[in-house]
Amino acid sequence: MKRTALGTVAATAATALLLSACGGGGGDGTGASDAEFDQGQTEIVNASDEKGGTLRFAISANMENADPGNMYYGYMWNFSRLYARTLYTYDAQPGEAGQKVVPDLAEGEPEVSEDGKTWTVKLKEGLKYEDGSDIVAEDVKYAIARSNFGPEALPNGPKYYKEHLAESDDYEGPYEDTDDPLKGFGGIETPDDHTLVFHLKETFYDFRYVLVQPQSAPVPAEADKGEQYQQNVVSSGPYKFEGDYTPGSGLTLVRNDQWDQETDPIRTALPDQITVQEGVEQNEIDQRLESGDLDVDLGGTGLGPAKKGELLQDEDAKARIDNPTNGGHYYLSVNTQVEPFDKLECRQAVQYAVDKSAVHRAWGGAAGGDIANTILPPVVPGHDPDSDLYPAEDPEAQQGNPPEAEAKLEECGEDGGFETNLGVRSDRPAEVSAAEAIQQSLDKVGITVNIKQYPSDTFTNTQAGSPSFVHKEELGLNIYGWLPDWNTGYGYMSQILDGGAIKEAGNSNISELDDEEVNDLLDEVTKIEDTDERDEMSKEIDKLAMEQAVIVPMVYSKAVLYRPDNVTNVFFNPSWKMYDYATLGTTDTG
């Protein structure tokens, strides 16, 4: 085996944050009164080492899931780090530095064999759970088993480990044999309490990014309660649950006295307590952020349309706002299994019919993002800025191409138009406004759209993410948003375009595209070591999927994030696509 060379690190992320402040309330760091518009993209705003107080989060729906092995929304991947540590994580820094993969539970870089198929990870010594028991390698192996394998595997989240681990195809998961839950799971070896050896089916150069994901947060087998485990996750991080969590009732985190800062270079653990309030209407969240009655919008997607427009016009308020391009893409998914969208030409008709200018306005105009023409956003390697397979009649106006849409309807035998349903998340005002804009533009070419609204906490599991529900309710169209699981073409596209990623629940390939050429290229791109060659193949995959017309590009999104004056150590982390939740503190410590 060869060990990847370790770079010399001058200071850990957490130490760097604290060194930038000479005391509470900002010190020599950037104080709240000195903050500027968009400063959190490149700097730590209101740096402080002050401990204490309560950091208050709220979200417009219920949290997707508190179980690290059963979550997929980016905001939960970010938030769960407060109570669940993973093998690796991203550096806690603004800008490009925040995209660096660094050790968390691991003691250093993985050892990778010459053929790239064997990855060995060593755990740090002295790691403890909240009850003082040792965190061991087998707990990580068990966590991966419960989230990826067997008919009772947790439904949310990707199955990268199942797709790529060798010697595990016949493994039925840890619930099949409770006496020996890991029997037959040969894809991961644990030769001792501090070593994990991952055996891959094929070379997979992106595997280090999989090791970042919350599915590697350790779970002691005796504490596992399947889908009920989220009620009281056993903490490996600086905070633990205060009592049992009941979805919809909010969550309170308190300090975990078994967490050791010496083993953790990322988390600052400044607040004494962290609270989450669920089911708060977006306008109320925005108002409470502005008034100082709330600290963080957990969802991380930014201000709603009303408050966004108001505060961007207020110079004083604008100094508390960041407007980053977050790597997201909000698009219209067209399902290939719902008639008449099983016909390519009917899908192409929708591509031409959508008035992207109207959708863009619904998203907040320039502050909400840029009009999209491809699947990959500009910040993801492999994006082709010159590609536009379904050009508007007037490229400057971007109001669609009704004549081409009508011609495609005639080709697919629907020249009189047809009726379909469109699914959207009810608690996201910009998405609802975009759905209404789509409804109006499709109506102009004879396609009648019925808008169906669902809560976001169940949308990607029970409604749009359930093929059987989509077919039953004839949801030919769904508005969806996607952030890369990691910042490569494969990390962005695999779960939304690969036929092998289609799942009965928690499905993100909502179009149910299962194209042999796309599937094969997604398999091939992970084996290419040269980054330029990989990016060219990613560009080709994007074009092939666009030719199938299963995703109507709408908006490469920008978030409008608000940071109240009392919140410390605030910055936009490009890997989490929002503020870095593991570093935040508050000056309200009284």
Side-chain angles (χ1 to χ4, degrees):
M1 291 184 182
K2 63 179 181 181
R3 179 180 292 277
T4 304
L6 286 170
T8 301
V9 180
T12 66
T15 302
L17 281 169
L18 299 183
L19 287 176
S20 66
C22 292
D28 286 345
T30 303
S33 61
D34 303 321
E36 300 176 356
F37 173 69
D38 232 5
Q39 193 168 358
Q41 280 208 69
T42 56
E43 299 179 32
I44 299 163
V45 180
N46 202 15
S48 173
D49 61 358
E50 186 170 3
K51 291 182 179 289
T54 298
L55 192 67
R56 303 159 299 176
F57 288 79
I59 186 167
S60 59
N62 292 341
M63 293 192 300
E64 177 198 15
N65 202 288
D67 182 344
N70 198 21
M71 56 179 60
Y72 207 5
Y73 275 113
Y75 72 86
M76 284 308 304
W77 282 20
N78 187 4
F79 182 78
S80 66
R81 296 179 302 137
L82 292 164
Y83 56 85
R85 297 179 65 179
T86 50
L87 291 176
Y88 294 87
T89 188
Y90 295 109
D91 208 352
Q93 300 287 350
E96 288 301 309
Q99 298 206 37
K100 181 182 178 182
V101 175
V102 296
D104 191 355
L105 294 174
E107 69 173 8
E109 293 289 307
E111 285 186 14
V112 184
S113 63
E114 292 290 344
D115 63 4
K117 294 183 182 181
T118 304
W119 294 58
T120 301
V121 176
K122 296 281 190 178
L123 299 183
K124 294 169 182 171
E125 300 280 347
L127 300 169
K128 303 285 186 182
Y129 289 112
E130 63 180 81
D131 62 0
S133 60
D134 293 334
I135 295 172
V136 297
E138 189 167 286
D139 298 341
V140 176
K141 179 177 179 177
Y142 181 84
I144 292 168
R146 68 189 288 270
S147 59
N148 278 261
F149 292 93
E152 296 180 78
L154 302 174
N156 296 337
K159 306 298 183 205
Y160 290 118
Y161 288 105
K162 183 178 182 181
E163 292 169 25
H164 293 282
L165 287 176
E167 305 172 36
S168 302
D169 289 342
D170 296 328
Y171 177 56
E172 292 297 319
Y175 307 121
E176 182 72 14
D177 184 348
T178 54
D179 292 330
D180 191 358
L182 297 177
K183 183 179 180 181
F185 186 16
I188 304 174
E189 290 183 272
T190 53
D192 58 57
D193 284 348
H194 296 91
T195 306
L196 294 118
V197 183
F198 296 86
H199 300 285
L200 307 185
K201 297 175 182 176
E202 302 286 348
T203 303
F204 181 29
Y205 285 104
D206 281 0
F207 189 61
R208 68 180 62 252
Y209 300 108
V210 178
L211 299 174
V212 169
Q213 295 174 4
Q215 292 177 344
S216 74
V219 177
E222 62 273 13
D224 186 18
K225 298 180 180 178
E227 291 198 50
Q228 302 306 311
Y229 180 64
Q230 72 161 325
Q231 294 176 351
N232 204 320
V233 175
V234 179
S235 173
S236 53
Y239 297 95
K240 62 182 180 180
F241 288 22
E242 182 179 64
D244 287 350
Y245 164 61
T246 301
S249 299
L251 175 65
T252 297
L253 301 177
V254 295
R255 290 193 181 279
N256 170 17
D257 61 9
Q258 297 298 313
W259 171 76
D260 183 1
Q261 176 79 75
E262 292 296 319
T263 71
D264 194 338
I266 297 298
R267 299 160 182 83
T268 59
L270 295 179
D272 287 334
Q273 182 174 261
I274 296 169
T275 60
V276 178
Q277 187 177 358
E278 298 175 279
V280 182
E281 199 268 331
Q282 186 64 52
N283 287 332
E284 182 183 342
I285 289 177
D286 297 345
Q287 291 164 5
R288 288 170 58 188
L289 285 171
E290 184 187 14
S291 68
D293 292 332
L294 185 68
D295 301 320
V296 189
D297 180 353
L298 176 60
T301 55
L303 299 171
K307 189 61 71 173
K308 180 190 303 182
E310 175 190 335
L311 296 187
L312 284 171
Q313 300 303 313
D314 181 331
E315 287 303 314
D316 181 58
K318 192 174 178 181
R320 301 178 182 87
I321 286 175
D322 295 302
N323 189 206
T325 298
N326 61 10
H329 178 189
Y330 284 98
Y331 55 81
L332 184 65
S333 178
V334 188
N335 190 280
T336 60
Q337 305 302 308
V338 175
E339 295 180 352
F341 297 124
D342 54 337
K343 301 173 184 176
L344 172 62
E345 294 78 12
C346 282
R347 300 196 298 270
Q348 292 173 328
V350 175
Q351 293 274 359
Y352 282 117
V354 171
D355 181 341
K356 292 186 180 180
S357 177
V359 172
H360 187 233
R361 289 194 301 273
W363 232 279
D370 300 316
I371 291 177
N373 292 316
T374 61
I375 296 170
L376 288 175
V379 297
V380 178
H383 167 75
D384 184 355
D386 300 319
S387 181
D388 187 3
L389 297 188
Y390 306 97
E393 189 174 20
D394 180 348
E396 293 296 321
Q398 287 289 321
Q399 293 176 335
N401 196 330
E404 285 290 346
E406 290 167 352
K408 289 297 180 182
L409 286 174
E410 186 173 354
E411 285 183 44
C412 74
E414 299 286 351
D415 52 311
F418 57 87
E419 186 173 350
T420 191
N421 297 324
L422 188 163
V424 65
R425 288 173 278 209
S426 60
D427 48 279
R428 298 194 174 185
E431 294 187 19
V432 174
S433 296
E436 293 167 350
I438 292 167
Q439 182 185 51
Q440 292 169 15
S441 56
L442 267 60
D443 183 65
K444 293 177 182 178
V445 299
I447 302 174
T448 300
V449 174
N450 304 308
I451 298 174
K452 307 289 185 179
Q453 299 190 35
Y454 308 101
S456 62
D457 59 312
T458 60
F459 190 68
T460 60
N461 188 33
T462 307
Q463 287 95 34
S466 169
S468 61
F469 183 92
V470 167
H471 302 162
K472 178 183 176 183
E473 298 299 318
E474 298 181 343
L475 290 176
L477 306 173
N478 284 280
I479 289 183
Y480 206 51
W482 197 249
L483 295 164
D485 287 352
W486 58 86
N487 207 42
T488 68
Y490 179 87
Y492 193 95
M493 294 186 290
S494 65
Q495 295 300 303
I496 61 174
L497 296 178
D498 194 335
I502 298 171
K503 299 183 293 185
E504 294 181 3
N507 176 47
S508 297
N509 183 350
I510 295 178
S511 66
E512 297 184 70
L513 175 66
D514 191 5
D515 180 87
E516 183 176 355
E517 189 172 5
V518 170
N519 296 345
D520 288 346
L521 288 180
L522 284 168
D523 288 340
E524 186 64 28
V525 73
T526 63
K527 304 171 188 175
I528 299 173
E529 188 170 11
D530 182 80
T531 54
D532 290 338
E533 188 178 345
R534 268 191 286 167
D535 295 346
E536 282 300 312
M537 186 171 287
S538 295
K539 188 183 297 185
E540 183 179 355
I541 296 168
D542 189 325
K543 182 180 178 182
L544 286 171
M546 285 300 302
E547 288 174 350
Q548 292 297 316
V550 294
I551 284 178
V552 181
M554 297 197 309
V555 178
Y556 303 132
S557 65
K558 297 179 71 175
V560 179
L561 304 173
Y562 189 89
R563 38 178 160 79
D565 288 343
N566 65 290
V567 181
T568 62
N569 296 330
V570 188
F571 62 90
F572 176 81
N573 188 311
S575 291
W576 303 117
K577 319 302 181 189
M578 59 194 75
Y579 291 140
D580 193 315
Y581 294 160
T583 65
L584 299 178
T586 176
T587 58
D588 294 340
T589 59

